[in-house]
Amino acid sequence: MEMNGYTVRDGKQVADFAALKDDGSTACGVWIYSGVFPGEGQNMARRRNKGDGWISPEWGFAWPGNRRMLYNRASADPQGRPWSERKKYVWWDAAQHKWTGYDRPDFPDTKAPDTPGQEEGVGVDAHSGSDPFTLKADGRAWLFAPSGLKDGPLPTHYEPLESPVKNPVYRRQDSPIAKRFSRKDNPISAPGDPRFPYLATTYRVTEQYTSGSMSRWSSWLSELMPEMFAEISPELAAEKGIKNRDWIVVSSARGEIECRALVTRRLRPFQLNGALIHEIGLPYHWGYKGLVKGAMANDLVPLSEEPNVYIQEDKAFTCNIRKGRL
Amino acid sequence: MIDAYRRFMNIEAPPAPQRPKGFFTDTSLCIGCKACEVACKQWNQLPADGNELSGNSYDNTGALGATTWRHVQFVEQAKANNSRVGQRWLMMSDVCKHCANAACLEACPTGALVRTEFGSVYVQQDICNGCGYCVPACPFGVIDRAPKDGHFEAGRAHKCTLCYDRQKDGLEPACAKACPTDSIQFGDIEELQAKARRRLADLRARGETSARLYGMPESTEAAEVGHLNAFFLLLDRPEVYNLPEVPRLPRKTMAQRYAISAVVGLAFAALSAVAFGRRSG
Ligand code: SF4
Ligand code: SF4
């Protein structure tokens, strides 16, 4: 009920988020789920009526307001007619003066397609009747992003902060606005640094969940992926005299870890600018506690931040490996 | 007469047989997530078997056993030359086949192994005495005895029950329920077989020429063990997935083996008679 929202005075559930007020008379834990428990003993998520259409609006609940597709007004042209008869989804019913269709329209119900946007309007009132993207400031979708992104307006190619090669597209090697943390314990090795000739990437396996701090406490998941390992190609294994399951040390400019080698042909060396460059695959699910423990791949990763959402760059960096233990 | 005896001995009438149910495991859909393995262990409260990296692709549980009743195999298949072209990563969720002519059931001297009303093969734990005859009898290496100091009483035989308890309540087995891709489908055997034939035709039409069904009534595997109530769609020869090309039923060669034993026995008797005869003479 907290999730669905209720009127504070009598504790009655609200029908959906349209009934929520900003004056304190209603309370709601998560507005997108508002409407999932619209009344006493009702749970929209439990509904199992397939119906005969292909949208099944009475099967379960989809947020917000049981809409199956967000921004679905875009399925109709500016005049409110379906773009395609075969794929018609929601449309403007001029006779009844409202939006209708197979799905619940994701648009103000009675706002006609020819309604002009209000110059001083707040929220969707500023949008015209042909602006489907209601959560965007201007109600439009953008192919070209002149504002909002720190590194827009168009996509381009930069090499990762650590890369074995020079950027083949521009003179500029890497993103000029990536956030770096220049500290002694966070060095970045330069392209072609002979100490770290290989590429490394980190990833997940399905059996463990992120850093494994939850899944490594389940015996059933732990037995399926019990130990930290590094995946290397047979070519690199032969070069380094490493056999499957041998202990190896993987090092980067920032640290080194020990783990088992898993030799597999799924890893294939890259041909970059005519040179053969090996790649090491590192799952990052282990740590120092749990039923199964192991080295942390993130100890090798450079600390950095992408300028928009501040995600660190751990899918590509450079490293070296050797047979043996730390 | 039987009814009177049952009443007198206070024996419940056996449950009425139903249309046989089973698994169709379509390996072409398997993504190797192992949800089936975990769901099986959780529903049946089976312990983990140990935490060791096998080095064999992503398979760290190795084989079916007393406490692993679903097992996902990973086959990294490469062409002979060193090119990566045509390389495949095959996945297959293995399980007890619930054979139409089950070797384990034939070998069991105590009656612990039974055919249930759902057509599956089931070990009654309160009757199994741990003799272990079923273990070498199974042509697939499925059934296994519980180890000493383990979760189960040592020695008793265990394997997939086809979720007998869930079926009793009209639920599908835990693995089929958990499988996100419907690689494991549970249902009426005849319907599943029809579905499998359609799926095979579809895959073949789409160029998967080495796809085949394993364990259908008409296929060579059925020669001795009959059709399998847990059957498979494979993308390559059965050996690739560690499955026998023609699973053998020990009973079929029993007369021959008794004869061999008799001959060998007689030969030894004759030899010793000669040896001792000489000494005493
Ligand atoms: S696969 Fe083995 S254990 Fe399962 S029914 Fe057949 S013989 Fe018995
Ligand atoms: S749950 Fe399904 S997809 Fe996942 S490993 Fe098992 S059979 Fe394959």
Side-chain angles (χ1 to χ4, degrees), chain A residues 189-210:
Chain A
S189 74
D193 186 333
R195 293 173 303 155
F196 305 108
Y198 309 128
L199 259 174
T201 187
T202 65
Y203 46 79
R204 310 177 184 204
V205 293
T206 48
E207 296 85 343
Q208 301 282 5
Y209 185 67
T210 65

Side-chain angles (χ1 to χ4, degrees), chain B residues 9 25 41 43 46 68 70 77 81 92 126 165 223 238 268:
Chain B
M9 296 294 284
T25 306
K41 288 215 171 187
W43 178 262
L46 301 173
T68 299
R70 265 271 175 200
Q77 202 180 39
N81 64 9
M92 173 224 182
D126 53 345
D165 48 352
F268 270 109

Side-chain angles (χ1 to χ4, degrees), chain B residues 95-99 102-105 121 137-143 159:
Chain B
V95 69
C96 168
K97 320 297 180 288
H98 298 277
C99 317
C104 59
L105 196 150
V121 178
C138 170
F140 301 100
V142 169
I143 197 163
K159 67 169 196 71

Side-chain angles (χ1 to χ4, degrees), chain A residues 205-207 219-227 229 231 233-235 244-245 260 262 264-268 291-292, chain B residues 33-34 37-38 41-42 45-46 48-55 57-58 60-61 76 78 81-84 87 89:
Chain A
V205 293
T206 48
E207 296 85 343
S219 61
W220 294 319
L221 298 173
S222 292
E223 71 168 335
L224 297 178
M225 275 297 169
E227 228 178 299
F229 57 93
E231 299 195 286
S233 69
E235 290 86 348
N244 198 24
R245 283 189 87 247
R260 303 273 192 179
L262 190 64
T264 168
R265 296 171 55 90
R266 286 180 287 106
L267 266 273
R268 56 184 94 182
L291 300 176
V292 295
Chain B
C33 69
K34 307 181 192 166
E37 242 185 276
V38 177
K41 288 215 171 187
Q42 186 177 39
Q45 289 293 296
L46 301 173
D49 294 326
N51 299 318
E52 209 185 322
L53 191 84
S54 72
S57 194
Y58 279 6
N60 291 308
T61 42
E76 295 189 14
N81 64 9
N82 228 19
S83 111
R84 252 79 168 181
Q87 166 175 318
W89 201 6

Side-chain angles (χ1 to χ4, degrees), chain B residues 153-220:
Chain B
E153 199 167 318
R156 293 209 176 147
H158 294 271
K159 67 169 196 71
C160 160
T161 69
L162 222 126
C163 280
Y164 182 72
D165 48 352
R166 290 175 63 97
Q167 282 204 64
K168 273 281 192 198
D169 282 340
L171 297 172
E172 66 178 319
C175 56
K177 180 84 189 171
C179 178
T181 63
D182 264 352
S183 172
I184 301 174
Q185 297 179 36
F186 170 79
D188 198 287
I189 279 292
E190 275 170 26
E191 276 168 30
L192 288 179
Q193 287 171 344
K195 208 183 226 181
R197 286 189 191 101
R198 284 199 301 275
R199 172 75 179 156
L200 180 69
D202 183 30
L203 282 179
R204 287 246 171 102
R206 284 153 65 180
E208 277 293 339
T209 45
S210 56
R212 72 203 61 208
L213 297 174
Y214 184 86
M216 298 285 275
E218 66 271 19
S219 44
T220 43

